[in-house]
Amino acid sequence: MSAEHNNKDFSKVERIKIHQPDANKVDRFNPRNRIYVRAVEGFWSTLRKRLGWVAMLFFLVLPWIPWGDRQAVWFNLGEQKFHVFGLTIWPQDFTLLAALLMIAAFGLFFITTYLGRVWCGYTCPQTVWTFIFIWFEEKIEGARNKRIKLDQMPWSFNKLKLKVAKHTAWILISLLTAMTFVSYFVPTKEVYIEVFTLNATGGIYFWVILFTFATYGNAGWMREIMCIHMCPYARFQSAMFDKNTFIVGYNSKRGETRGPRSRKADHKAMGLGDCIDCDLCVQVCPTGIDIRNGLQYECINCGACIDACDTTMERMGYNKGLISYTTENKLDGVKEKVLRPKLVGYGVVLLIMTLIFVYATATISPIRIDVIRDRNLLFRETDQGLIENTFTLKILNKTEQTHIYNMSVKGLPKYEWIGLQQVTINGGEVLTLPISIAVDPVDLTRAITHINFGVETDDGAIEAKQESRFFGN
């Protein structure tokens, strides 16, 4: 076939292309213009689906795991206790929560600087639930073209049946999601039994209904609107990106000039690049962008366009990787740098915060003692001539077992303990105990003596101490 004949065929294809609707002209920023995501198969799509289903199953199963006489993970807000398997976190330990949030933040910064928005593309709940909803949508209404055609058709019994089936599936998924989420704060069996037997409290019904409609709205209707207009992460990610950050990128040097052609045509002789302008990369994108227009903050690095493009390249007999995970430097032919100050900085802070969190978690004391002095009277002299200070001890048993505790005070050579010195405290209870310490003034060498109250079990396995002061003459 001659080059002249090829050019004639190409011109004919171009004239046909002009009359086809341009997917890029759709105003994706208008919430009324719905994005119909096309199904795609490939390595990255398979990885995303598997991670999504694992995350979903982990979320659903975790509240059902038993741990003794309770569930393994239970955020008991009523008693202000967070149970995470064998660890019980009390309000006094909430600095651990702050540390955990800091670790999550710096972990996100580190991953974003190195791998871009892979969190958004693979593990963000909005993405996971959105693709689950799309999966059910495809199973009920059909592929992308069928869904578009169905929405353009006038209402009929068949259309109503499909729409009702789809939205029923969405609502059931949303209800399951809401009840599972509430089960992290209220015992799981209690939630399911009381909700379905209509014996749940108004608060439980409120939160179940709220999260049901929130999930249904976010994953079913809003979808990319959440990512484009409402998620703050997309707005400040540019502060973490650099030219060595991995992004989903289009190799314009290889792909341009784009245009349709037959598989047997010599596209190089026609002056064309490898991109055949099939728009599949746009049709599979959950946010409706055209990755060929360059780096855009709406891109969530899900890799769907990579799989779509690789499939097209394979069918055309071209090399894969026209769209790939790459960096701006690589696209520009500049040498990449893996280690750079920003990435190292985030990594060092992340490592330090993680070590601190692990140490703090491992050394959580199973008992806590707070000492409150009598503010009205610093000290008084007894009938025996002793100097007496009054204290209120608050002892918290942070374990789930009952223990017998012995109390003492250090820092005084000789003293008389007035009040109970051995107490029994049930698991999770706080004991308020008023006591007094009396000392012979002869044994006091200064007006203020620093002392330490201690509490421990008989075997010394559990102990805690708290500093205070003893006032004398």
Side-chain angles (χ1 to χ4, degrees):
M1 185 181 292
S2 65
E4 182 181 358
H5 186 67
N6 280 341
N7 289 335
K8 289 181 180 180
D9 288 346
F10 172 66
S11 300
K12 181 179 179 181
V13 175
E14 275 296 322
R15 288 196 297 270
I16 297 174
K17 181 72 176 177
I18 292 174
H19 299 287
Q20 294 179 351
D22 188 354
N24 298 328
K25 292 181 180 179
V26 176
D27 183 6
R28 56 191 170 83
F29 293 100
N30 187 345
R32 295 182 179 179
N33 291 329
R34 183 180 176 189
I35 296 175
Y36 295 86
V37 181
R38 181 174 182 148
V40 61
E41 297 294 335
F43 175 80
W44 301 110
S45 298
T46 301
L47 177 62
R48 186 187 65 247
K49 289 176 184 178
R50 290 179 179 175
L51 287 175
W53 286 115
V54 168
M56 182 72 168
L57 290 175
F58 181 80
F59 168 75
L60 293 174
V61 171
L62 194 58
W64 290 96
I65 300 176
W67 190 271
D69 58 350
R70 60 170 173 83
Q71 61 193 56
V73 178
W74 179 24
F75 305 134
N76 190 346
L77 298 181
E79 298 181 7
Q80 298 182 341
K81 293 186 292 185
F82 284 7
H83 300 286
V84 183
F85 292 93
L87 177 66
T88 299
I89 302 176
W90 293 77
Q92 294 86 347
D93 302 317
F94 273 4
T95 51
L96 290 175
L97 180 60
L100 185 61
L101 292 175
M102 292 179 67
I103 290 173
F106 279 101
L108 186 63
F109 298 161
F110 178 82
I111 293 296
T112 303
T113 302
Y114 184 49
L115 298 175
R117 291 183 66 181
V118 291
W119 158 261
C120 293
Y122 291 87
T123 53
C124 174
Q126 175 68 21
T127 302
V128 172
W129 262 257
T130 294
F131 276 106
I132 290 175
F133 273 47
I134 291 175
W135 184 84
F136 277 94
E137 188 176 59
E138 291 173 349
K139 295 301 179 182
I140 295 172
E141 294 186 353
R144 179 177 182 270
N145 292 338
K146 291 183 178 180
R147 300 201 303 274
I148 296 174
K149 184 178 179 180
L150 180 66
D151 285 349
Q152 293 173 346
M153 290 171 55
W155 282 99
S156 63
F157 176 77
N158 183 61
K159 180 175 180 178
L160 179 63
K161 180 182 66 175
L162 293 176
K163 292 296 182 182
V164 169
K166 180 184 74 172
H167 288 282
T168 300
W170 284 1
I171 292 175
L172 289 177
I173 299 169
S174 302
L175 178 61
L176 178 61
T177 300
M179 294 183 68
T180 301
F181 184 78
V182 173
S183 296
Y184 282 88
F185 302 90
V186 181
T188 305
K189 296 180 180 178
E190 187 177 314
V191 171
Y192 282 84
I193 293 174
E194 293 188 357
V195 166
F196 289 115
T197 58
L198 304 180
N199 291 319
T201 64
I204 291 178
Y205 280 119
F206 171 79
W207 290 112
V208 168
I209 293 173
L210 176 65
F211 286 116
T212 296
F213 280 99
T215 305
Y216 173 73
N218 288 348
W221 291 95
M222 300 183 73
R223 294 185 180 177
E224 75 284 347
I225 297 175
M226 293 290 296
C227 301
I228 296 175
H229 299 286
M230 302 180 68
C231 179
Y233 180 45
R235 304 294 178 176
F236 67 77
Q237 64 169 333
S238 59
M240 293 168 277
F241 272 41
D242 56 40
K243 291 185 178 298
N244 293 291
T245 299
F246 277 89
I247 59 172
V248 175
Y250 166 69
N251 189 343
S252 58
K253 295 179 180 178
R254 173 185 160 186
E256 301 297 325
T257 301
R258 69 185 76 155
R261 79 295 302 267
S262 68
R263 282 191 293 179
K264 296 181 179 180
D266 184 358
H267 63 288
K268 299 296 183 182
M270 298 167 64
L272 297 176
D274 285 357
C275 179
I276 67 171
D277 204 17
C278 61
D279 281 339
L280 288 181
C281 57
V282 180
Q283 295 176 21
V284 301
C285 179
T287 58
I289 67 171
D290 189 341
I291 196 64
R292 296 170 297 180
N293 293 334
L295 181 63
Q296 299 155 74
Y297 77 87
E298 300 92 349
C299 177
I300 61 172
N301 273 30
C302 67
C305 57
I306 298 177
D307 288 333
C309 187
D310 283 349
T311 300
T312 299
M313 293 296 102
E314 189 173 18
R315 289 174 180 173
M316 295 297 295
Y318 304 160
N319 293 329
K320 297 180 180 180
L322 179 60
I323 300 176
S324 64
Y325 281 109
T326 184
T327 66
E328 288 188 77
N329 275 342
K330 187 174 181 180
L331 289 174
D332 294 337
V334 180
K335 185 179 179 181
E336 298 174 278
K337 295 181 180 179
V338 177
L339 296 178
R340 55 260 198 205
K342 185 188 297 185
L343 185 65
V344 173
Y346 286 143
V348 170
V349 175
L350 177 61
L351 178 61
I352 293 174
M353 292 302 303
T354 302
L355 293 176
I356 293 174
F357 176 78
V358 171
Y359 174 78
T361 303
T363 56
I364 288 179
S365 175
I367 186 172
R368 181 183 177 92
I369 178 173
D370 291 320
V371 180
I372 304 173
R373 284 190 48 83
D374 186 351
R375 302 296 183 184
N376 298 320
L377 184 65
L378 293 180
F379 66 92
R380 75 180 186 90
E381 188 174 345
T382 66
D383 295 338
Q384 293 79 22
L386 302 178
I387 301 299
E388 181 181 344
N389 283 206
T390 302
F391 304 88
T392 299
L393 306 182
K394 287 192 174 183
I395 306 171
L396 169 61
N397 180 2
K398 296 164 67 175
T399 70
E400 298 180 26
Q401 296 80 36
T402 300
H403 289 287
I404 298 176
Y405 297 101
N406 300 308
M407 289 163 288
S408 61
V409 64
K410 295 181 180 179
L412 296 171
K414 296 179 181 180
Y415 65 88
E416 180 182 345
W417 185 288
I418 304 172
L420 294 176
Q421 201 166 358
Q422 186 180 76
V423 294
T424 301
I425 308 177
N426 296 325
E429 286 190 354
V430 179
L431 176 68
T432 300
L433 181 66
I435 61 103
S436 295
I437 302 294
V439 179
D440 190 327
V442 177
D443 295 327
L444 296 175
T445 59
R446 57 180 67 89
I448 301 176
T449 304
H450 291 276
I451 60 176
N452 282 290
F453 282 92
V455 57
E456 64 179 3
T457 55
D458 290 335
D459 57 3
I462 300 176
E463 62 179 355
K465 62 180 181 179
Q466 179 63 43
E467 184 181 354
S468 187
R469 292 174 294 176
F470 188 93
F471 287 85
N473 290 327

